[in-house]
């Protein structure tokens, strides 16, 4: 693992009440950042923030539904009011259920996933930009997926929305990179957690058949996010960083590590 120093930085993480989001919040706090833990489940967000503070870190919690732009603005404002700035936005909140082939999909449910995965990221970007531009810059990390580049049976909503997020990451870099806004995507690969449990339960496409050994722990994704917040990641600005590659794991100090399911 890298020795990452984010002391003095303020970070907001969406969907941070469990899984990857909670792991990201913990890792950023461990690196010294003050973390605003946000999620629709406010009780869950508060529990994560309390655990961070109990471990000696700095954290607040706020309720936030990323499909509602006003919620995202309010979450950012809460962080700015308490800590004076916003340096890091991690658009982690995501959804994949219900998994279904296109002809079997429910239009409302399909659109709801797009609202979280795409519009939610846009809301985070749009709401963070005024504050970051006013402060001379910041880092925005969008959680992405290899599904952005490879159609997977039953995942039309997920694949399409992640492909759009990949382009949004590039667009953000093109428009605001020269103004100090660092835009990056993260494609972690299969991470052990509730989303993978839903994928397995669907029984659709090869990903649902993956062995436990194929899953990586959420802490690996969290380590990647923390590293992306440092200048060392500048060669990847405007792109998606993957920890499925040997190079990606080497840069994170995970070169000799083997994937494993989280306990």
């Amino acid at each position: 693992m890298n020795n990452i120093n984010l002391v003095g930085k303020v970070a907001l993480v969406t969907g941070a009440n469990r899984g990857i989001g909670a792991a990201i919040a913990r890792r950023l706090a461990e690196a010294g950042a003050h973390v605003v833990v946000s999620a629709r489940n406010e009780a869950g967000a508060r529990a994560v923030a309390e655990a961070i503070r109990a471990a000696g870190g700095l954290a607040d919690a706020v309720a936030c539904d990323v499909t509602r732009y006003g919620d995202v603005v309010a979450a950012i404002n809460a962080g700015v009011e308490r800590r004076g700035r916003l340096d890091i936005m991690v658009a982690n909140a995501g959804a994949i259920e219900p998994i279904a082939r296109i002809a079997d999909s429910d239009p409302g449910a399909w659109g709801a996933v797009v609202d979280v995965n795409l519009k939610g990221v846009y809301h985070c970007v749009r709401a963070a930009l005024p504050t970051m531009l006013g402060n001379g810059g910041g880092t925005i990390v969008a959680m992405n997926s290899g599904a952005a580049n490879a159609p997977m049976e039953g995942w039309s909503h997920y694949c399409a929305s992640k492909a759009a997020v990949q382009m949004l990451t590039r667009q953000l870099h093109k428009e605001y990179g020269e103004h100090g806004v660092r835009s990056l995507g993260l494609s972690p690969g299969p991470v052990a957690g509730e989303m993978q449990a839903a994928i397995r339960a669907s029984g659709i496409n090869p990903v649902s058949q993956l062995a436990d050994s194929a899953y990586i722990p959420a802490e690996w994704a969290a380590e990647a996010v923390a590293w992306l917040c440092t200048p060392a990641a500048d060669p990847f600005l405007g792109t998606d960083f993957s920890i499925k590659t040997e190079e990606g794991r080497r840069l994170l100090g995970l070169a000799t590590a083997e994937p494993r399911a989280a306990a």
Side-chain angles (χ1 to χ4, degrees):
M1 301 289 185
N2 291 294
N3 183 17
I4 296 169
N5 184 351
L6 299 177
V7 174
K9 304 293 186 181
V10 178
L12 190 151
V13 185
T14 68
N17 60 306
R18 62 186 184 188
I20 296 176
I24 292 169
R26 290 193 296 267
R27 182 64 183 97
L28 295 182
E30 182 182 287
H34 189 114
V35 182
V36 179
V37 182
S38 73
R40 285 187 298 180
N41 182 338
E42 186 174 7
R46 290 189 182 281
V48 172
E50 288 170 3
I52 289 172
R53 291 194 294 269
L58 302 171
D60 295 312
V62 62
C64 178
D65 180 344
V66 297
T67 68
R68 300 174 179 173
Y69 180 63
D71 274 21
V72 182
V73 171
I76 290 174
N77 287 344
V80 172
E81 287 171 6
R82 294 171 189 170
R83 306 302 162 191
R85 57 188 301 113
L86 176 70
D87 303 285
I88 298 165
M89 164 64 80
V90 183
N92 166 74
I96 197 170
E97 294 185 272
I99 295 170
R101 296 173 181 86
I102 295 173
D104 300 323
S105 64
D106 174 78
W110 199 98
V113 169
V114 175
D115 283 347
V116 175
N117 292 355
L118 174 56
K119 289 176 67 176
V121 174
Y122 163 74
H123 288 162
C124 289
V125 169
R126 178 64 182 84
L129 276 174
T131 296
M132 287 188 173
L133 291 172
N135 289 338
T139 297
I140 299 177
V141 179
M143 193 60 62
N144 211 332
S145 168
N149 302 302
M152 300 296 297
E153 186 178 11
W155 294 10
S156 61
H157 49 4
Y158 191 77
C159 293
S161 58
K162 291 300 184 180
V165 167
Q166 188 176 90
M167 181 54 71
L168 184 58
T169 297
R170 294 171 60 186
Q171 186 75 23
L172 178 61
H173 175 66
K174 184 175 184 65
E175 294 185 3
Y176 296 100
E178 64 183 20
H179 300 289
V181 178
R182 304 173 69 255
S183 173
L184 304 113
L186 173 63
S187 294
V191 179
E194 291 189 17
M195 183 176 287
Q196 294 303 325
I199 291 169
R200 276 187 165 180
S202 75
I204 300 176
N205 78 46
V207 181
S208 69
Q209 307 300 321
L210 288 176
D212 286 350
S213 59
Y215 296 115
I216 66 169
E219 287 72 21
W220 284 19
E223 185 67 20
V225 169
W227 183 79
L228 290 174
C229 294
T230 72
D234 282 357
F236 298 93
L237 292 176
T239 72
D240 264 8
F241 179 77
S242 174
I243 52 178
K244 293 189 293 182
T245 67
E246 183 177 341
E247 178 194 15
R249 290 181 180 177
R250 177 182 60 79
L251 290 170
L252 298 178
L254 299 171
T256 60
E258 293 295 329
R260 60 175 176 80

